[in-house]
């Protein structure tokens, strides 16, 4: 485990996660505001999970943390560590059956604690589709500040979308 919270573990993916990963990432509502298209086939899920399993969380670029609840994969957190190793971008996905129970908030807080306390990152940023009010509320709940709105900024899944920008400095984070 990289991070342990009261109910969750943030860990490296294993090949055993492929089926659960494919299931929640294949849900059209889960994929609606995300970069992938649903459904996610088993072969694709296996390839992705295998690649995630070999990633290095301390290296620049994207790393996917598996969100584990009592040995069950319930979602994932993506962290894009900047080349300077002092800032990162965050993203998150939780399976529908586990939404609305505070797991995403707990997982994001756990990762932020790790990033700010253990790694001493200076800043973490996030962005989301402006229509994704649940994600925006989660980011604000854990302390992110809304820093901007880019109107009709992204051509995404066949339409122009607005992007909300969020940021959080280590000096402003309250854990």
């Amino acid at each position: 485990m990289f991070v342990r919270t009261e109910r969750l573990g943030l860990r490296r993916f294993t090949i055993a996660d492929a089926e659960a990963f494919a299931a929640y990432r294949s849900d059209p509502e889960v994929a609606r505001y995300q970069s992938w298209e649903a459904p996610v086939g088993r072969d694709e899920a296996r390839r992705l999970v295998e690649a995630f399993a070999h990633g290095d969380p301390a290296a620049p670029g994207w790393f996917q943390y598996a969100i584990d609840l009592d040995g069950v994969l319930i979602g994932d957190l993506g962290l894009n560590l900047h080349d300077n190793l002092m800032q990162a971008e965050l993203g998150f996905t939780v399976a529908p059956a586990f939404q609305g129970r505070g797991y995403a908030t707990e997982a994001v807080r756990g990762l932020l604690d790790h990033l700010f306390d253990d790694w001493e990152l200076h800043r973490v940023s996030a962005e989301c589709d402006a229509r994704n009010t649940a994600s925006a509320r989660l980011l604000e709940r854990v302390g992110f500040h809304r820093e901007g709105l880019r109107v009709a900024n992204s051509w995404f899944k066949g339409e122009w979308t607005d992007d909300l920008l969020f940021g959080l400095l280590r000096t402003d984070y309250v854990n």
Side-chain angles (χ1 to χ4, degrees):
M1 280 307 153
F2 293 110
V3 175
R4 187 83 199 139
T5 69
E6 184 179 331
R7 301 178 294 174
L8 305 171
L10 303 182
R11 60 168 172 77
R12 184 178 297 281
F13 270 86
T14 69
I15 199 66
D17 294 320
E19 188 173 329
F21 180 80
Y24 71 77
R25 288 226 172 174
S26 291
D27 185 301
E29 282 304 306
V30 172
R32 181 176 183 198
Y33 302 117
Q34 300 283 11
S35 61
W36 69 86
E37 296 289 338
V40 174
R42 287 181 186 219
D43 289 342
E44 181 183 0
R46 287 181 72 77
R47 280 192 301 276
L48 287 167
V49 163
E50 193 169 312
F52 297 161
H54 293 97
D56 181 354
W62 282 101
F63 181 82
Q64 294 296 124
Y65 292 87
I67 304 172
D68 184 292
L69 174 67
D70 300 326
V72 175
L73 176 70
I74 66 165
D76 57 273
L77 295 174
L79 187 77
N80 186 10
L81 187 60
H82 192 276
D83 289 339
N84 66 20
L85 305 180
M86 295 184 287
Q87 60 197 60
E89 179 181 359
L90 172 73
F92 44 87
T93 306
V94 174
F98 299 95
Q99 292 176 4
R101 299 181 191 183
Y103 293 130
T105 300
E106 185 174 331
V108 169
R109 276 195 179 118
L111 185 56
L112 290 172
D113 289 347
H114 176 63
L115 297 174
F116 288 135
D117 295 343
D118 300 334
W119 287 9
E120 297 183 354
L121 257 62
H122 170 69
R123 174 184 167 80
V124 176
S125 62
E127 67 178 73
C128 67
D129 187 306
R131 299 169 298 178
N132 191 347
T133 57
S135 288
R137 282 194 312 266
L138 184 153
L139 291 167
E140 290 170 342
R141 188 167 43 253
V142 299
F144 280 82
H145 303 285
R146 184 171 154 183
E147 297 179 334
L149 169 68
R150 293 186 299 208
V151 176
N153 183 70
S154 298
W155 180 252
F156 188 71
K157 298 186 179 182
E159 63 183 320
W160 288 106
T161 62
D162 299 346
D163 300 328
L164 291 176
L165 308 175
F166 293 88
L168 180 58
L169 296 174
R170 179 167 45 112
T171 55
D172 294 337
Y173 180 62
V174 178
N175 53 354

